Amino acid sequence: MTANGRFLGIVRDELATASDVARQAVAGVDPSTAMYRANMRRLDATADLGALTTQVMTSVPVYLRRGDIVTNISVRSGATAAGTPTNYWFALYSSAATPALLGQTADQLTAAWGATTNKTLALASPVTIQADGTYWVGIMVKATTVPSLVGVSTTASAGIVTGEKNLAQTSGSALTGTAPATIASPTAAATAPLVILT
C-alpha cells in the first residue's frame, strides 16, 4: 500500500515482490546470483529490424551499476543472416557525455552469423563498472548483407524531454575491425536492437 507515493506496508513483502518482478522480466535468470543487464525486456523485443547499415555502428543505452562486471555482449539476429561478412564486433562505451570505449570483442571477420541466431561475444577483457549510469553498447557489421536484429521499432527514439537518451543511435562510417575511441556525433535511430550484458 502507498500513500502520497510512500510505501506504507511491510518492506520485506515489497522487496520480495520487486525481486519476483525482476526474475520474471529476465525469464529465468536470478539477478541475485548472475550479472544480467539489458536495454529492454525480451518480451518487448518483438520486431525483426533493419537496424544496421554496413560499416556504421548502432548503439543502444544500458543502465549499469557500480561493481557490475561485464564479460559478454549478446545480440540476436532476425530473419536475415549476415551475407559475406568481413568484419563485425560488439563494444561497450562509458556513460560520459561523449562516451569513451571501455572494451571491444574480437573482430569476427568472416565468421558466419546466421538468421535467428544468438550471437554472444566476449569482451577482450571483462570491464568492471566504476559508477552507476547509462552506458552504451555498440554493434558494427561490415557485410554485403547486414543481418537484421531482434528488437523494437519506435518513432520516439530521440529524447523528448531534457536529459533523455536516444533509445538507439548510429555513428561513424567506413568502420572495419576496430571500434572508434568515442561515440561522436550520433544520430537517433528508430530501431533499437535487444542487447544483453552478462
Side-chain angles (χ1 to χ4, degrees):
M1 170 192 298
T2 61
N4 299 322
R6 295 182 61 206
F7 179 70
L8 302 177
I10 300 170
V11 173
R12 179 194 66 226
D13 294 341
E14 179 67 5
L15 292 175
T17 299
S19 177
D20 290 346
V21 169
R23 285 183 176 88
Q24 290 167 7
V26 298
V29 175
D30 183 347
S32 67
T33 62
M35 206 297 281
Y36 179 103
R37 302 285 184 259
N39 64 325
M40 68 183 78
R41 297 183 318 145
R42 283 191 312 156
L43 287 172
D44 295 332
T46 57
D48 186 358
L49 308 171
L52 298 174
T53 299
T54 188
Q55 295 189 267
V56 173
M57 184 170 68
T58 295
S59 55
V60 296
V62 177
Y63 191 81
L64 298 175
R65 293 280 188 187
R66 181 175 182 257
D68 284 349
I69 300 174
V70 181
T71 303
N72 300 300
I73 299 173
S74 298
V75 180
R76 183 174 175 85
S77 61
T80 302
T84 319
T86 53
N87 305 95
Y88 67 93
W89 42 259
F90 306 152
L92 180 64
Y93 286 83
S94 73
S95 60
T98 299
L101 181 64
L102 298 175
Q104 179 187 336
T105 67
D107 181 6
Q108 301 302 295
L109 300 170
T110 59
W113 187 356
T116 59
T117 300
N118 299 330
K119 186 62 70 173
T120 297
L121 302 178
L123 293 170
S125 298
V127 174
T128 301
I129 301 304
Q130 301 300 315
D132 294 358
T134 301
Y135 292 74
W136 294 88
V137 175
I139 304 162
M140 194 293 299
V141 177
K142 178 184 177 185
T144 302
T145 302
V146 294
S148 59
L149 301 177
V150 172
V152 65
S153 182
T154 176
T155 55
S157 177
I160 297 170
V161 298
T162 302
E164 284 188 316
K165 308 285 186 191
N166 293 333
L167 297 177
Q169 58 191 24
T170 59
S171 59
S173 62
L175 300 176
T176 54
T178 304
T182 62
I183 298 177
S185 304
T187 300
T191 52
L194 168 67
V195 300
I196 298 171
L197 306 181
T198 54

